[in-house]
Amino acid sequence: MSTQHTAPPNGSAQDGSAQDGSAQTESAQTRRAVGNILKGSAGNLVEWYDLYVYTVFAAYFQAHFFNSKDELQAGLEAMAVFSTSFLMRPLGSWFFGRYADRKGRKAALTLSVTMMSIGSFGIAILPTTQEIGIWALVLLIFIRVLQGFSVGGEYGTSATYMSEAATAKRRGFFSSFQYVTLVGGQMLALLVLVILQNTMGKEALTGWGWRIPFAIGGVAALVVLWLRRSMEETVSADQIRAAHVRVEGEPQPGTMKLLLTKHWKPLLVCVGLTMGGTMAFYTYTNFILKFMNDTSGIAKTDTSVINFWALFIFMLLQPVYGLISDKIGRKPLLVWFGVTGVLFTWPLLSTLAGTKDPFTAFLLMMGGLLIVGGYTSINALVKAELFPASIRALGVGLGYAIANSLFGGTVPLIGAAFQKAGREDLFFTYVTVAIFLSLLVYVFALKNKKATHLDTEQGDAFEKKELVDAA
């Protein structure tokens, strides 16, 4: 039988032994939560490492698959292939979300990391255009589509799992580790880049060294596959049974019918609160590397170091933001991101465009990440709180994937296009408008410290609660 995570018993103890027993129960729940979060987050780290290593090393392998005569054009084509992986995210989120709500979170997370491993090994051994012609590009696109399908399922399922596996009073803290590992995956990709840049010549790295990070990702995914075998399940046996028994007039758990007939409002909220956050996140953690190289004119070796240390600090801040949300609620942090994002995106990016000093560039990037942290640290939990367990993985995953595919995943492509046209200022405006639209969602669609479905299922996060909104 699946193990359903439950909250510590409520009420005051009658004697010392009862207090001791309550403390032991809470301690045991915390240890169990830590173990499950570590196993779940390790897979998340590898999934996102495998996804991001493509953009980190694109400058070194793009000549093998794209137009090598024009470096900006080759970079644009490489980012276009990166964006194609986002087209599969809604489909991956639908498939894995349905799978996770009907078969369990553990089964879905195991399958997704297996597919990601296959994709990484595929790129590591992929022949180049010089060897097999246009088929090299076709296969590269196919592999990226496969990885996009995989990571589309990883986000919603891991967000759901970490939120469910966390203890009630520390949900913000524990669920923040989704972005600790998500950012950690990108930081690990940058670390591999820095190491290879300093141990290999540019000719060797461009010739064959770019294959090494993909091979590392494939091996790491196999290790995570082994670790995830011992994860506890957070879906109840009753829900899994209900998913396979048809009741006349009642939609089954994990189905689009249930999502679109009874939970379409939180789905729209999920898309809206994601839009600005995912664009800001990809701007300051992904596209900014190319932006510093091509627009600011900072050397690639310097931008690699800048990105690594900025992301390292950003990663460490995620649990801090999560702990703050456990005290003051989730909404204030999202409003912080929205307001400061609207006010400072243009000044930060326009100043970065005109600087060639690495330290100044680091401070500007760090400023952007301090703003984005208000979104990244808790967005997965906020989405998970919108849906009941029967539809949570599908609702969270699909809502995120739709916004991510339309807005976040297209940031590198749109940014590169504006760069080539010499109109970076329009890109700054584009990101600012998206953040403003999400700010409207934070202000008008969310209530602070409101009782959620997770509270009803597994214990209250805050002392004073309202009734769960039936919507």
Side-chain angles (χ1 to χ4, degrees):
M1 177 178 291
S2 299
T3 303
Q4 177 68 36
H5 179 77
T6 56
N10 294 322
S12 59
Q14 299 299 317
D15 52 38
S17 61
Q19 290 180 346
D20 291 341
S22 177
Q24 290 174 1
T25 300
E26 186 173 349
S27 177
Q29 289 175 337
T30 300
R31 287 196 301 270
R32 185 172 69 176
V34 170
N36 287 321
I37 292 295
L38 287 176
K39 292 170 186 175
S41 61
N44 201 48
L45 184 145
V46 171
E47 285 262 5
W48 291 95
Y49 165 85
D50 285 341
L51 182 75
Y52 284 128
V53 78
Y54 176 95
T55 55
V56 171
F57 281 86
Y60 292 98
F61 68 74
Q62 62 189 29
H64 295 289
F65 299 97
F66 307 101
N67 183 358
S68 59
K69 296 180 181 179
D70 182 347
E71 188 170 344
L72 278 178
Q73 179 63 28
L76 181 60
E77 292 172 1
M79 290 304 102
V81 171
F82 176 77
S83 295
T84 60
S85 67
F86 286 79
L87 298 177
M88 291 298 291
R89 288 206 184 181
L91 184 59
S93 295
W94 166 79
F95 175 83
F96 282 99
R98 175 183 169 87
Y99 194 84
D101 286 332
R102 297 170 64 84
K103 301 285 187 180
R105 319 304 189 207
K106 177 180 175 180
L109 289 170
T110 300
L111 179 59
S112 68
V113 78
T114 301
M115 294 179 66
M116 185 60 78
S117 175
I118 293 172
S120 291
F121 279 127
I123 296 180
I125 62 173
L126 186 64
T128 66
T129 302
Q130 290 78 15
E131 295 169 323
I132 60 172
I134 191 63
W135 285 105
L137 180 58
V138 172
L139 289 173
L140 179 63
I141 294 173
F142 174 77
I143 291 172
R144 292 301 296 175
V145 165
L146 177 68
Q147 290 186 311
F149 182 82
S150 170
V151 84
E154 175 71 20
Y155 177 90
T157 308
S158 65
T160 296
Y161 183 81
M162 291 186 188
S163 298
E164 293 173 340
T167 57
K169 301 298 182 183
R170 289 290 179 267
R171 263 186 213 127
F173 172 74
F174 280 118
S175 63
S176 72
F177 280 87
Q178 189 195 31
Y179 262 78
V180 169
T181 51
L182 191 155
V183 175
Q186 186 171 5
M187 193 184 73
L188 183 59
L190 284 168
L191 177 61
V192 172
L193 173 62
V194 171
I195 291 174
L196 292 181
Q197 284 177 333
N198 287 276
T199 57
M200 300 180 65
K202 182 178 179 181
E203 184 176 346
L205 187 55
T206 303
W208 60 271
W210 59 268
R211 298 181 183 274
I212 296 174
F214 293 102
I216 292 173
V219 172
L222 292 179
V223 174
V224 169
L225 181 61
W226 177 77
L227 285 174
R228 280 187 167 175
R229 294 172 57 195
S230 60
M231 289 170 59
E232 289 187 54
E233 181 55 73
T234 59
V235 174
S236 68
D238 289 341
Q239 178 175 323
I240 294 177
R241 282 194 296 269
H244 298 87
V245 177
R246 290 187 177 276
V247 178
E248 188 66 27
E250 289 294 326
Q252 293 175 292
T255 60
M256 289 296 294
K257 181 179 180 181
L258 177 60
L259 180 63
L260 297 180
T261 57
K262 294 190 175 183
H263 304 284
W264 60 271
K265 288 183 180 179
L267 177 64
L268 292 179
V269 172
C270 187
V271 173
L273 72 87
T274 303
M275 177 176 60
T278 189
M279 282 188 62
F281 175 73
Y282 277 96
T283 296
Y284 285 111
T285 66
N286 190 287
F287 176 67
I288 201 165
L289 192 65
K290 180 174 170 49
F291 184 81
M292 288 182 185
N293 289 337
D294 298 338
T295 298
S296 302
I298 300 173
K300 291 178 181 178
T301 52
D302 289 333
T303 57
S304 299
V305 175
I306 291 169
N307 274 247
F308 176 80
W309 287 111
L311 288 175
F312 179 71
I313 297 172
F314 181 57
M315 179 183 69
L316 295 181
L317 287 174
Q318 300 304 300
V320 176
Y321 281 104
L323 281 173
I324 293 173
S325 80
D326 286 327
K327 297 294 184 181
I328 68 173
R330 326 297 181 202
K331 182 174 178 176
L333 269 73
L334 291 174
V335 173
W336 150 263
F337 157 69
V339 171
T340 53
V342 169
L343 294 176
F344 294 107
T345 295
W346 230 99
L348 285 171
L349 292 178
S350 60
T351 304
L352 179 61
T355 185
K356 294 183 181 297
D357 177 58
F359 184 68
T360 302
F362 167 79
L363 293 178
L364 292 168
M365 179 179 177
M366 200 65 247
L369 292 176
L370 288 173
I371 291 172
V372 179
Y375 164 82
T376 56
S377 56
I378 59 167
N379 82 97
L381 173 58
V382 173
K383 294 166 193 171
E385 291 176 332
L386 293 173
F387 301 94
S390 60
I391 200 66
R392 184 169 293 132
L394 180 58
V396 172
L398 189 61
Y400 167 80
I402 291 172
N404 204 242
S405 298
L406 294 176
F407 304 104
T410 57
V411 161
L413 178 60
I414 293 175
F418 278 127
Q419 272 188 317
K420 190 175 182 183
R423 293 304 307 272
E424 289 89 345
D425 58 320
L426 294 180
F427 176 70
F428 309 158
T429 303
Y430 175 60
V431 176
T432 301
V433 170
I435 296 174
F436 175 73
L437 294 176
S438 284
L439 175 60
L440 296 179
V441 176
Y442 307 150
V443 172
F444 295 108
L446 300 178
K447 294 182 179 179
N448 199 38
K449 295 188 178 183
K450 178 184 178 181
T452 69
H453 292 287
L454 276 173
D455 292 324
T456 301
E457 296 163 5
Q458 300 178 7
D460 289 346
F462 303 102
E463 294 300 327
K464 295 180 180 180
K465 310 303 297 181
E466 301 174 16
L467 294 176
V468 176
D469 187 352

